[in-house]
Amino acid sequence: MKIKKISFGLFLIVLVSCNQNTKSTNLELERYSDIKITGTMKNVMWKGDLEGIVNLDSITNKKGLYGIGPESYLTGEILINDGQAYVSKVLTDSTMKVEKNFEVSAPFFVYGNVTEWNKIDLPPSIKSTQDLEKFIDEKTIEYKRPFAFKLKGDVSKAVIHIQNLPKGTHVSSPEDAHKGQTNYNLKNEEVVIIGFFSTEHKGVFTHHDSFLHLHLITKDERKMGHLDMAEFNEMELYLPKK
């Protein structure tokens, strides 16, 4: 009888502990309500969920709005920079079309509103996106995560891509999803880069090997896409005020 009572007591302790962990996790998620996430990258890549599930024109608060993601059916790239939406599409393997347009949808998208920034001159030692990821992680230990950030300045070179999936393509793997993807090489460009940082959203809005999702647009707004690599020159980093 005593053994049964002890076993039941242990069960109650485990049950309460699980409930507390669940509540803690829910509270942790609630803390990050500033950033909104719809859909997931992994469902697009592995399940073929290509249909748009968020229409950009349905986002009502456009003041200080930032967001990134692919266009529905992986037919282009989307960027929202300070309340203005841009959509890029492939024309040829060396040319693209960039339009201002809110009448577009995405199968996954991350976005949020930031109206106050802290500006930091990016140290000369930060040359690559890998350097940038480490630098931001170290600088934002006390920040609420995930968060949006931006960079302004010059890149000596960069590679961006635009999704251009052929119509009717069945997607069940990342290899399928990237069919038609077109890469563009940039050199000595003045750019704005919009990014989202998270250590907890790999496969949701960042790739499995990164804490960053970055989209780049040139100052003349003629080139825009998902940023794959960059070599930074003089850059200013803008982090949201805590």
Side-chain angles (χ1 to χ4, degrees):
M1 189 69 177
K2 288 184 179 180
I3 294 174
K4 286 184 179 180
K5 286 183 178 179
I6 292 170
S7 299
F8 182 71
L10 289 172
F11 171 76
L12 285 177
I13 291 170
V14 171
L15 184 62
V16 169
S17 176
C18 288
N19 286 338
Q20 286 176 340
N21 287 338
T22 301
K23 288 178 182 178
S24 175
T25 302
N26 289 338
L27 287 172
E28 197 71 14
L29 291 172
E30 288 170 6
R31 286 179 59 207
Y32 302 139
S33 60
D34 292 352
I35 297 298
K36 297 176 177 61
I37 305 161
T38 58
T40 67
M41 183 184 293
K42 59 189 175 185
N43 283 351
V44 172
M45 300 290 185
W46 292 103
K47 296 182 179 180
D49 292 348
L50 307 179
E51 186 176 353
I53 60 172
V54 58
N55 296 306
L56 266 62
D57 58 6
S58 70
I59 302 173
T60 55
N61 183 12
K62 294 181 173 61
K63 183 179 180 181
L65 180 64
Y66 296 86
I68 51 180
E71 188 180 8
S72 56
Y73 298 99
L74 303 184
T75 55
E77 300 291 337
I78 302 171
L79 165 68
I80 302 178
N81 179 22
D82 197 12
Q84 178 60 64
Y86 300 85
V87 183
S88 61
K89 290 181 178 290
V90 171
L91 292 180
T92 71
D93 60 2
S94 61
T95 61
M96 68 177 73
K97 175 176 67 175
V98 180
E99 293 182 334
K100 295 179 179 180
N101 186 10
F102 259 102
E103 295 181 1
V104 65
S105 63
F108 74 88
F109 203 68
V110 55
Y111 62 101
N113 301 81
V114 184
T115 56
E116 294 185 283
W117 300 93
N118 288 318
K119 184 177 75 170
I120 303 171
D121 290 331
L122 203 65
S125 59
I126 309 302
K127 291 294 186 184
S128 68
T129 53
Q130 289 79 15
D131 295 338
L132 177 68
E133 179 182 291
K134 184 177 179 181
F135 181 76
I136 290 177
D137 194 19
E138 292 172 350
K139 281 286 183 182
T140 61
I141 295 298
E142 302 300 323
Y143 276 59
K144 181 170 61 175
R145 299 178 173 186
F147 57 83
F149 65 93
K150 62 182 177 181
L151 297 120
K152 291 182 180 180
D154 302 313
V155 292
S156 58
K157 64 172 64 174
V159 177
I160 61 175
H161 76 245
I162 299 175
Q163 295 293 350
N164 188 34
L165 192 69
K167 187 175 181 179
T169 301
H170 175 73
V171 172
S172 59
S173 70
E175 291 74 21
D176 294 336
H178 289 94
K179 289 178 180 176
Q181 174 181 303
T182 303
N183 298 332
Y184 297 88
N185 296 304
L186 310 181
K187 288 186 177 180
N188 300 317
E189 291 274 8
E190 191 170 350
V191 303
V192 174
I193 298 169
I194 304 302
F196 285 78
F197 178 94
S198 178
T199 58
E200 305 296 330
H201 289 84
K202 288 182 177 180
V204 179
F205 65 79
T206 72
H207 285 288
H208 70 280
D209 57 353
S210 178
F211 297 153
L212 305 178
H213 189 162
L214 306 164
H215 281 201
L216 175 152
I217 186 167
T218 55
K219 185 179 179 181
D220 61 12
E221 300 181 349
R222 297 178 63 182
K223 300 169 189 172
M224 187 275 283
H226 176 103
L227 180 61
D228 292 314
M229 70 79 63
E231 291 183 6
F232 303 124
N233 287 330
E234 293 185 7
M235 300 289 289
E236 295 172 342
L237 171 63
Y238 293 78
L239 295 171
K241 286 192 176 181
K242 292 186 286 182

